[in-house]
Amino acid sequence: IDIDRDSGRITVSDDGIGMTQGDLNDRFLFVGYRRRENQPTKTAKGRHVMGRKGIGKLSLFAIAKTIQVETAKDGTTSGLVMRADDIRAQMQEKEGEYHPDPLPASEISVAAGTRITLSDLRLNPTAGTVTALRRRLARRFSIIGPDHGFEVIVNDEPIKVSDRDFYPKIEYLWSLGAVGDQYEKLCSKALKKKRLSGTVDAGQGWTVSGWVGTVDTQKSITEETNIVPVLAWGKLIHEDLLAAVKPAGLFAKYVIGELHADFVDDDKADDIATSDRQSLKEDDPRFAALTAYLRDTVLREVGNAWRDWRRDNALDKARENPIVEEWYTSLGPDARKAAKDLFGKIGNMAVGEESDRIELYKNGILAFEKLRFRDLLSEIDKLDGADQLDLVGRVFSSIDEIEAAQYGEIARGRLRVIESFIGLVDADEKERVIQKHLFEHLWLLNPSWERASTNQRIEESVMSEFAALDAGLSDEEKKGRVDIRYRTAAGKNIIIELKRYSVKVKPGQLVDQVGKYRSALAKCLKQKFADQPQDIECIVVLGWRPDDLPPEEVERTLAGVHARIITYDELIQHAHESYKDYLEKHTEVSRLSDLISRLEQSAKAAALPESTDGKAAGALPESTDGAAGTTSAPETTEAEATE
């Protein structure tokens, strides 16, 4: 096949047996000539003939208005020219036969075989015509190739198996029927391979051969190639059997293949091909049997195996990303098992671009950390289906990004409070700092008291009662106290009294003072706010524990008025101990935020178009430490990482 864009001509030549003038008139020009009824159905080299209805020659006029045929056989040459305009004119003038113009022998240059020249083209060839033609012919005719002794050359270059442009993209392969390792060799990059029976109906003797495979990524397949065509005698006879089966499962979006089913074009059986020879009549038993074979024998096996194989390989693929690998290696053994399940779910999702896959990794890691935080990693097993996982991933992503930011703010706020205590030596300084923070950060006294809260009406009434008591304090008692406050937290009414660091108080004095405030609060709540919680706890913060009684007796004495004491130094120590987990969690949040930030950067880089040097424009720079191919993560501030 030679396509000359400059002259607007397409020439198709062969080195076959050619035709005599009688063959031209009685067979080639005879519309509807049935070769299989009048001639042997095998060629001289043993190939079964493809045509059946004798109308394929008419398709030439869909391409060109002028058709010239030159042929030679047994030492004689013949030729003719057919013109679409002449045929149309003759049909309008009178009924009868159309007689093409014969070519003089002097204008016939073919010495063997046949040459057909198409001119006055209806559509001029483009730069991509040759490539598209090679790919289309390679896919529609399985007999092309050295293994079959049939070669097609387009513009001086033979069509190769590689022109089919899908074998290198096959990730999992199922060979069908007696094909041995033929397709396994072609799909050399396939990670998994399996062979299935080609028996369609043993009683009828109907068998198929061929293959079905799944590609590695959504990007590797198109609507044009996401098909399973049927071929008979080496030629496409049904465009897509997959469309007739309509398999339900995500795997179907990755499927490609071809079935060789000569029994659907049996010479002795009825012709079940439609007039365009591109599809089969669906009400025929042979078509029904072939459809059932693809659905029940092939695709059922493919769907089950694809899910399992993708899950097993998904972790390895995910770990090829250095940032994901960093996260995965930080997990413990049990968490790694759950992470493998999660990446298996992600691996079963339809992904078109690498940037999309990285985005899924990001959402998956966030979802994983959410479940791990809640000890719900077993819930990953219940995520069945890519759409569900994608939804959960997006929900978890939005929730976790918000929570991560909020948690980071909480952690940083508490760090600032705790760090303000570190290194305090001066008593007055301890007193001042704790006074500044304590009333608004009750978690320093009890980790369950997350936030201090109050009701303004209650507080005004309570503080009015306290003021009356304060009026009766002696000057010495007033000097010994820094402040007294009322707060509510976790459904409890809390009285907090700060004593000066330097003041030493006896247990009896504490009981007397705290008891008065407790009684005043209890009276106020009972009389004015009966619908509010009545539970009261009193806490006294002081510099020194009373030393005139044993510690346990002091505790029992204060317990009588529902009070307890804590020293400034004990409060600082307890804050560090109680919030050690907070400090660790804060570190984890920062680490995770940094990791997610780097994943987002790599997703953006992967989404950029490639520059002329083969690298993605704006890609992350290589490190300068001499490690080829490694990427240095940009420095990120704590606030930026959390955001």
Side-chain angles (χ1 to χ4, degrees):
I1 304 174
D2 291 307
I3 300 176
D4 190 336
R5 295 176 58 199
D6 295 332
S7 65
R9 288 175 179 267
I10 299 175
T11 305
V12 183
S13 308
D14 68 54
D15 62 355
I17 60 175
M19 293 178 283
T20 64
Q21 185 172 331
D23 292 332
L24 276 175
N25 287 324
D26 299 336
R27 301 178 186 177
F28 183 80
L29 293 175
F30 191 102
V31 177
Y33 175 76
R34 298 183 180 274
R35 159 73 185 268
R36 299 194 192 186
E37 296 177 4
N38 303 295
Q39 294 284 320
T41 57
K42 293 287 184 72
T43 68
K45 291 188 176 183
R47 287 189 295 271
H48 196 287
V49 297
M50 296 178 180
R52 187 150 183 163
K53 293 183 179 293
I55 59 175
K57 70 212 55 170
L58 299 179
S59 64
L60 295 170
F61 289 107
I63 301 172
K65 296 179 181 180
T66 301
I67 312 297
Q68 178 174 301
V69 181
E70 303 169 67
T71 186
K73 184 176 183 180
D74 299 333
T76 62
T77 60
S78 305
L80 54 88
V81 177
M82 298 183 290
R83 295 180 176 86
D85 293 341
D86 292 347
I87 296 175
R88 185 177 296 106
Q90 180 133 356
M91 290 175 61
Q92 292 174 349
E93 291 179 5
K94 61 180 179 179
E95 296 183 2
E97 296 180 345
Y98 164 72
H99 296 276
D101 296 330
L103 274 178
S106 60
E107 295 183 18
I108 300 174
S109 58
V110 171
T114 301
R115 177 193 299 142
I116 298 178
T117 303
L118 312 180
S119 56
D120 299 327
L121 302 180
R122 297 184 182 276
L123 189 65
N124 290 327
T126 65
T129 297
V130 173
T131 301
L133 178 64
R134 294 173 61 83
R135 182 171 61 248
R136 194 165 181 81
L137 289 176
R139 292 177 178 178
R140 297 175 76 86
F141 293 92
S142 63
I143 65 164
I144 296 177
D147 292 342
H148 303 282
F150 194 97
E151 187 174 56
V152 176
I153 302 169
V154 180
N155 280 18
D156 299 325
E157 186 177 349
I159 291 178
K160 308 180 186 67
V161 172
S162 59
D163 286 309
R164 295 179 180 174
D165 194 32
F166 42 59
Y167 292 130
K169 301 173 183 176
I170 300 301
E171 184 176 37
Y172 307 127
L173 173 72
W174 291 262
S175 297
L176 311 176
V179 295
D181 61 356
Q182 174 185 350
Y183 297 107
E184 293 174 2
K185 290 179 178 178
L186 292 172
C187 303
S188 58
K189 295 182 180 180
L191 301 177
K192 301 279 188 179
K193 303 171 184 177
K194 192 170 184 178
R195 300 181 185 182
L196 301 179
S197 167
T199 301
V200 175
D201 188 321
Q204 296 284 351
W206 295 342
T207 61
V208 300
S209 63
W211 63 279
V212 166
T214 55
V215 296
D216 51 354
T217 66
Q218 195 78 60
K219 187 178 180 180
S220 298
I221 202 166
T222 64
E223 188 173 319
E224 180 184 355
T225 55
N226 185 200
I227 59 174
V228 178
V230 180
L231 294 90
W233 311 120
K235 174 189 175 185
L236 186 144
I237 195 171
H238 189 81
E239 289 275 6
D240 181 21
L241 193 62
L242 189 65
V245 175
K246 295 184 178 67
L250 179 66
F251 78 95
K253 297 180 180 179
Y254 291 76
V255 168
I256 186 173
E258 60 185 29
L259 298 181
H260 299 264
D262 296 338
F263 73 87
V264 299
D265 193 26
D266 191 336
D267 298 329
K268 299 177 182 179
D270 292 339
D271 183 11
I272 63 171
T274 56
S275 59
D276 62 0
R277 312 302 293 176
Q278 304 300 305
S279 57
L280 300 171
K281 297 175 182 177
E282 297 186 5
D283 58 352
D284 189 271
R286 283 169 286 176
F287 182 85
L290 190 61
T291 302
Y293 167 79
L294 180 62
R295 180 186 63 244
D296 301 333
T297 300
V298 180
L299 294 182
R300 183 172 296 172
E301 166 68 25
V302 170
N304 292 334
W306 183 85
R307 183 183 62 249
D308 296 338
W309 291 350
R310 291 275 287 200
R311 184 180 62 241
D312 292 342
N313 293 334
L315 177 61
D316 293 336
K317 189 173 186 64
R319 294 181 67 182
E320 291 175 4
N321 184 300
I323 303 173
V324 175
E325 170 67 4
E326 176 187 334
W327 173 79
Y328 179 78
T329 54
S330 71
L331 302 176
D334 293 339
R336 288 188 184 184
K337 181 179 181 301
K340 179 179 179 180
D341 294 338
L342 177 67
F343 284 121
K345 304 288 185 180
I346 294 176
N348 286 342
M349 297 184 68
V351 177
E353 303 291 339
E354 183 60 23
S355 58
D356 297 331
R357 185 178 299 280
I358 296 173
E359 185 69 18
L360 284 176
Y361 289 155
K362 185 197 81 168
N363 288 348
I365 290 173
L366 285 168
F368 185 95
E369 293 292 346
K370 177 78 171 182
L371 293 172
R372 182 160 68 137
F373 181 73
R374 295 183 176 180
D375 293 328
L376 292 174
L377 288 180
S378 60
E379 295 296 309
I380 291 175
D381 292 334
K382 299 178 183 179
L383 301 178
D384 186 18
D387 294 338
Q388 182 184 4
L389 177 63
D390 188 33
L391 174 62
V392 172
R394 284 187 278 113
V395 171
F396 272 140
S397 176
S398 60
I399 291 175
D400 274 342
E401 285 172 352
I402 293 172
E403 286 196 356
Q406 292 177 336
Y407 195 90
E409 286 301 316
I410 292 172
R412 280 195 296 276
R414 295 189 175 184
L415 274 173
R416 284 193 293 269
V417 172
I418 294 173
E419 287 170 353
S420 68
F421 298 155
I422 297 175
L424 292 180
V425 177
D426 182 75
D428 292 336
E429 185 69 10
K430 290 180 183 179
E431 183 181 292
R432 184 187 65 78
V433 172
I434 290 179
Q435 179 187 9
K436 175 183 176 182
H437 294 293
L438 184 60
F439 295 122
E440 300 302 327
H441 298 282
L442 295 188
W443 51 267
L444 287 165
L445 296 171
N446 188 325
S448 66
W449 296 347
E450 283 289 330
R451 291 178 178 83
S453 61
T454 187
N455 180 302
Q456 187 174 355
R457 288 193 310 117
I458 299 177
E459 183 171 2
E460 288 176 355
S461 297
V462 170
M463 295 311 293
S464 176
E465 295 285 343
F466 286 181
L469 292 175
D470 289 347
L473 293 179
S474 66
D475 292 340
E476 185 178 351
E477 288 175 328
K478 290 179 180 179
K479 290 179 181 179
R481 193 182 70 187
V482 176
D483 200 0
I484 187 167
R485 296 284 182 89
Y486 162 75
R487 286 288 185 270
T488 58
K492 180 172 289 192
N493 298 278
I494 307 165
I495 299 173
I496 307 168
E497 182 172 6
L498 289 181
K499 295 291 187 183
R500 294 204 178 278
Y501 193 94
S502 57
V503 172
K504 289 190 176 183
V505 188
K506 296 183 180 297
Q509 293 175 310
L510 289 176
V511 170
D512 181 57
Q513 294 171 7
V514 170
K516 291 178 181 178
Y517 287 106
R518 187 180 186 284
S519 297
L521 175 57
K523 177 182 176 182
C524 181
L525 292 173
K526 184 176 181 180
Q527 292 180 350
K528 300 180 180 181
F529 308 101
D531 59 332
Q532 297 296 319
Q534 304 292 305
D535 191 15
I536 300 173
E537 181 171 348
C538 303
I539 302 173
V540 181
V541 183
L542 36 66
W544 308 92
R545 284 183 173 272
D547 55 7
D548 52 341
L549 291 175
E552 59 274 11
E553 190 170 337
V554 173
E555 291 179 6
R556 284 197 300 269
T557 301
L558 290 170
V561 290
H562 298 277
R564 63 184 173 96
I565 61 175
I566 185 170
T567 68
Y568 286 89
D569 295 302
E570 289 171 346
L571 189 148
I572 295 172
Q573 180 183 352
H574 291 171
H576 281 86
E577 293 176 353
S578 298
Y579 286 90
K580 180 180 180 182
D581 180 59
Y582 251 94
L583 297 174
E584 292 174 350
K585 287 293 184 183
H586 173 69
T587 302
E588 181 66 15
V589 166
S590 296
R591 186 194 67 81
L592 181 61
S593 297
D594 176 65
L595 184 143
I596 295 302
S597 176
R598 285 187 283 136
L599 268 179
E600 288 175 342
Q601 290 180 47
S602 64
K604 291 176 182 178
L608 291 173
E610 291 192 354
S611 61
T612 55
D613 63 358
K615 294 183 179 180
L620 296 177
E622 292 184 351
S623 66
T624 56
D625 60 2
T630 60
T631 303
S632 297
E635 293 185 0
T636 308
T637 66
E638 184 179 59
E640 289 172 340
T642 302
E643 290 172 357

